[in-house]
Structure formats: structure tokens, C-alpha cells
Amino acid sequence: MTSTIIQLSEEQKTALDLLKSGDNIFLTGGAGSGKSFVIREFMKDLNSELMPILASTGAAAVLLGGRTFHSFFGIGIMEGGAEATIQRATKDVKLMKRLARVEGVVIDEISMIPGEALAAAEFLAQSARQSTLPWGGMRIIAVGDFGQLPPVTMAGKKRDWCFQHEVWKRTNFMTYQLCYNQRVQESDFLEVLDQVRNGKVDEKAKVFLNARVRTHDEAHSGTRLFPRREQSDSYNQKKLQEIAAEEHVIYSIYLGEEKFVNHLKKSAPVPEVLKLKKGCLVLFLKNDAQKRWVNGTRGRVVEVESDHIIVKKDAGREVKVEKMQFSLLDADGNAKASVIQFPLTLAYATTIHKSQGATLDELWCDLSALWEPGQAYVALSRLRDSSGLHIVRWSEKSIITDPAVKLFYSQIKPF
């Protein structure tokens, strides 16, 4: 037994055993429950060509070193609707061979995959494998939390949760829910997070949140979470300009065909131009293989050289950071474009969406005008404990859970 297996909790070990069972599995659980950790453990011994991991968005795919669900199943943006998409895809000989060859797929962040897309993918898998079995006999492992970010929905249209679709029932998932929060140990905070995830806060939770409302302190170093990208970009640049030091401009190096490079520029976590100064706050964007930092670790720039940056982590240790390669893979798993850059971004602010998956020690957030289910929960659940929580404003109207999600989770039976 390896040391990483020993680190698994009892419920994570149960989840890992289930994943090895050969059944179709839906692995769920709230933020910080260790879903990604279990999946990484499961994927260690697998051939990624026969059991690829698919991301719900391009940005997540670049970070995972994986492919997107939409590209792998040949459905793209489903232009012209499901029927036209399926007609186009079934004529793609390469796609049909790929779908016939794999043993199964792992779909990460399943909550962001619309039901229509999942159904189209299943139809194509059945066609490719010439079988009427669910997914043509392909094994499906879905991972995610419907209590977090939802699928993109066109204005005025009903939210297309994939668990409401017939394809979800046909897949006949064995559902396992991780219940223990590995990130947060503070019982009062856990209770509040649970209520926010369920979309309704009681008086005790309101008192808890009100006690953490602060007048915004510009001098405080905590990361700001904004709902919109332009707000976080603007705040980061404003804070950088306040530092009286030389600005280092580091251009990302792109490799590959122009059309794929253009696509990578939109989905890569690193900016086209990284601007840093000695003393500025930075956030790590990717887990380090040597475990010196994780996605969300924060630190301060000590030194900038052409081939490395020295960052003093908030916890105190200085680390040498070198450039990394982030790649955009095509549906067959071949790198079509790559970007070489330091895995860092300014840490004064980020979006709620980009923060999903990260762990922060301190944050400032304005929860007064959110509009999507799960946004408030994703923001608050980034923290290890509530001592780092600074709320500028909050409103009960921003704490939103789709009733369909509440019903779905209420029907999950304990394993």
C-alpha cells in the first residue's frame, strides 16, 4: 500500500473501491470533500487513452492536461441544435473509431454539462459502438457537485441540469456522496456552508455572516472574489500600480497552429502578458508535482529572473518557481497548442468561477448581487476557516440553490 493510499479517509477508500468496481459511478460531495483527490488516486493505474478524463470547460481541460467533453464526443458548441450536431458527428469516421475504442470516460465537473449535451454524447457512443446499451456499453464515471456552478443557460431558458434528463436515469449510476469536509474543521462554519449550499440560512447563520461584514480595507492583503472577470482584472492592475518597484513584463510563449493558439489564449489560466513587481501578491494556478504548492497557494514575489521567480509563500517558505507548459489537447489527446509561462497570477483578486477548486486562507467578497445558483457557496467554501472571511455586503437573495438540485440530493440514499 502506498503512502498516498494511507492518506485517504475511510469514506474516500470506499469511493476508490467503488470506482474500481467497473460500474457507472457518480462521485459527488460538497466543496473540500476530496473528490479530485480520489479521482487522481483512481487514475494513477489507468491508461488515459482507454479511460480519458474529460473536463467540462476549456480552461479546466488545460489545467487537467485533459480534453473537453464537447471535443471528445465531437459535439462542439452544438450549433444548430442536438439533431444537426449528431448528424454532423456521425459522419466523422475518426470520432466514431475513437468512441468505439475507449473503455470509458471520467467526466469532471459534471454539473456544468447540460443534459442535451450528455444525451447527444450517449447517442454518438451507441452509434459508434453499434449497441443499444446505455452509452453503447462504455463505462461512465461522473464527478462533481450540482450545489456548485451550473451549466451555461441561454437567457430565458430553463436550466438544463443533466440529472433531470432521461440519459442520467439510463446510465444507472451508483451514487456515492463524500460527506466529510477535508478542508474545513470549524463546526459553526461547516453548518453555515451547508445552509448556503442548500439555499436557505437560519437566524444563527445570519448572525454568523453579519459578524463577518467589514468595511472594505484596501490595505488588507486578502484575495478579493468578484463575480465578473473585468472587475478582478481591474482590481489586480490597480493594486500592482500602487507598488513603487520596477515592473517585470513576462510574455507567454505560444507554440502550435494559429487557430489552436487563439483558442488556447481564451482558455489557458495564464495571461498573454504576466506583469509582476517585487513585493506583489501572487496566486499559484496549478498543483506542483513536488507538492511545494497547490492551486490557490498564495505568496509574495521576492525576486524575478528570466528563468525563475522566487516566491515567499504566506506560510513562510521561499520556493523557486520555473516556467511550466500548459497544453490544449485535441479530441484524440494530441497537443495542438501549448503556452509556456510561470504558473502564477496576481492574487489581489480573482473571479468566483476561477476560484472553484482553490483553497484560500483569506478572502474579501461582496455577496450582495449574485445571480447564479451555487455562486455564494463556491465563494465561501474556498476558505479553511472563517477567521479569513471578510464580507463587504451580503444579501439573502444572493444565496441561491435551484430547487431541482435540492430535490436531487434529498433523494440520494446513504451508501
Side-chain angles (χ1 to χ4, degrees):
M1 190 177 278
T2 65
S3 58
T4 43
I5 296 282
I6 292 165
Q7 292 171 17
L8 291 167
S9 68
E10 285 306 313
E11 67 172 9
Q12 287 175 326
K13 285 177 189 172
T14 304
L16 186 57
D17 287 343
L18 262 183
L19 290 169
K20 291 176 177 178
S21 69
D23 289 308
N24 291 340
I25 307 292
F26 170 46
L27 178 63
T28 190
S33 60
K35 299 182 294 295
S36 299
F37 183 54
V38 174
I39 289 296
R40 278 198 301 275
E41 201 62 48
F42 171 63
M43 295 297 289
K44 274 182 183 176
D45 304 321
L46 294 183
N47 179 337
S48 61
E49 288 307 303
L50 296 178
M51 193 81 183
I53 186 162
L54 309 178
S56 54
T57 65
V62 170
L63 272 178
L64 274 173
R67 297 166 251 186
T68 68
F69 172 87
H70 291 75
S71 71
F72 183 82
F73 282 100
I75 59 176
I77 58 169
M78 296 191 68
E79 197 176 351
E83 203 172 308
T85 299
I86 288 166
Q87 277 183 2
R88 277 193 304 273
T90 47
K91 292 172 188 165
D92 185 337
V93 177
K94 202 173 170 187
L95 166 69
M96 292 291 113
K97 280 184 180 172
R98 181 170 66 248
L99 297 183
R101 189 174 61 239
V102 296
E103 290 174 5
V105 294
V106 177
I107 307 168
D108 197 31
E109 300 292 6
I110 187 73
S111 70
M112 297 174 78
I113 305 285
E116 187 179 48
L118 201 69
E122 189 210 23
F123 184 90
L124 291 167
Q126 288 175 322
S127 301
R129 298 161 86 90
Q130 298 179 351
S131 168
T132 56
L133 286 169
W135 295 87
M138 180 191 291
R139 188 180 182 208
I140 305 295
I141 294 173
V143 189
D145 176 19
F146 291 108
Q148 294 188 51
L149 296 173
V152 174
T153 307
M154 301 291 284
K157 285 204 168 184
K158 187 172 176 280
R159 195 164 276 107
D160 188 16
W161 295 108
C162 60
F163 63 79
Q164 291 183 306
H165 207 284
E166 282 300 314
V167 64
W168 188 271
K169 291 176 194 159
R170 280 197 302 274
T171 306
N172 196 24
F173 284 114
M174 284 183 70
T175 298
Y176 190 74
Q177 186 167 12
L178 294 168
C179 298
Y180 182 72
N181 194 311
Q182 306 286 332
R183 185 183 291 151
V184 180
Q185 308 301 318
E186 184 190 344
S187 58
D188 284 355
F189 189 30
L190 280 170
E191 208 174 296
V192 171
L193 287 176
D194 193 49
Q195 289 190 34
V196 171
R197 186 171 183 269
N198 285 302
K200 196 161 178 64
V201 288
D202 64 15
E203 285 307 313
K204 187 181 169 187
K206 288 175 192 174
V207 169
F208 183 96
L209 293 170
N210 285 331
R212 282 146 187 88
V213 173
R214 314 264 187 273
T215 301
H216 186 214
D217 178 3
E218 283 272 352
H220 192 280
S221 62
T223 301
R224 275 68 180 169
L225 291 190
F226 289 104
R228 300 186 189 279
R229 182 180 168 181
E230 58 271 20
Q231 293 172 301
S232 74
D233 288 349
S234 170
Y235 191 82
N236 275 325
Q237 291 310 311
K238 173 177 175 285
K239 296 305 286 183
L240 188 67
Q241 295 314 311
E242 290 172 7
I243 299 172
E246 180 193 353
E247 185 172 89
H248 296 268
V249 178
I250 305 150
Y251 291 90
S252 291
I253 299 163
Y254 293 93
L255 310 165
E257 293 175 46
E258 187 182 0
K259 69 173 181 177
F260 293 110
V261 165
N262 289 336
H263 188 47
L264 180 61
K265 284 178 180 178
K266 292 176 189 169
S267 52
V270 292
E272 290 184 49
V273 181
L274 179 63
K275 295 178 182 179
L276 301 173
K277 291 181 181 181
K278 265 191 195 179
C280 73
L281 280 173
V282 287
L283 203 67
F284 285 88
L285 294 167
K286 197 170 184 179
N287 294 342
D288 174 42
Q290 296 173 46
K291 298 187 166 55
R292 294 168 295 173
W293 60 77
V294 295
N295 176 12
T297 295
R298 208 175 64 153
R300 210 172 274 278
V301 172
V302 174
E303 191 182 315
V304 181
E305 299 292 343
S306 59
D307 63 341
H308 71 269
I309 294 172
I310 303 294
V311 175
K312 188 174 193 295
K313 297 193 298 180
D314 280 359
R317 183 185 169 199
E318 286 190 5
V319 289
K320 182 180 179 181
V321 186
E322 291 167 329
K323 288 182 178 179
M324 292 178 70
Q325 185 164 306
F326 298 83
S327 296
L328 179 72
L329 306 186
D330 68 9
D332 292 311
N334 306 309
K336 301 304 287 184
S338 298
V339 57
I340 298 165
Q341 183 56 278
F342 294 105
L344 299 169
T345 188
L346 290 170
Y348 299 100
T350 189
T351 62
I352 293 171
H353 199 285
K354 275 190 180 176
S355 76
Q356 186 163 306
T359 300
L360 303 173
D361 290 315
E362 287 203 277
L363 69 83
W364 287 80
C365 53
D366 184 340
L367 306 178
S368 63
L370 304 183
W371 63 91
E372 271 198 334
Q375 270 184 314
Y377 175 64
V378 169
L380 295 173
S381 60
R382 297 309 94 211
L383 289 166
R384 288 188 177 90
D385 65 73
S386 67
S387 63
L389 177 58
H390 310 282
I391 301 172
V392 180
R393 288 181 295 267
W394 76 279
S395 161
E396 278 190 71
K397 288 179 182 175
S398 288
I399 295 174
I400 309 162
T401 300
D402 192 310
V405 171
K406 283 178 80 168
L407 179 63
F408 174 75
Y409 276 102
S410 73
Q411 292 171 340
I412 292 176
K413 295 179 176 70
F415 201 77

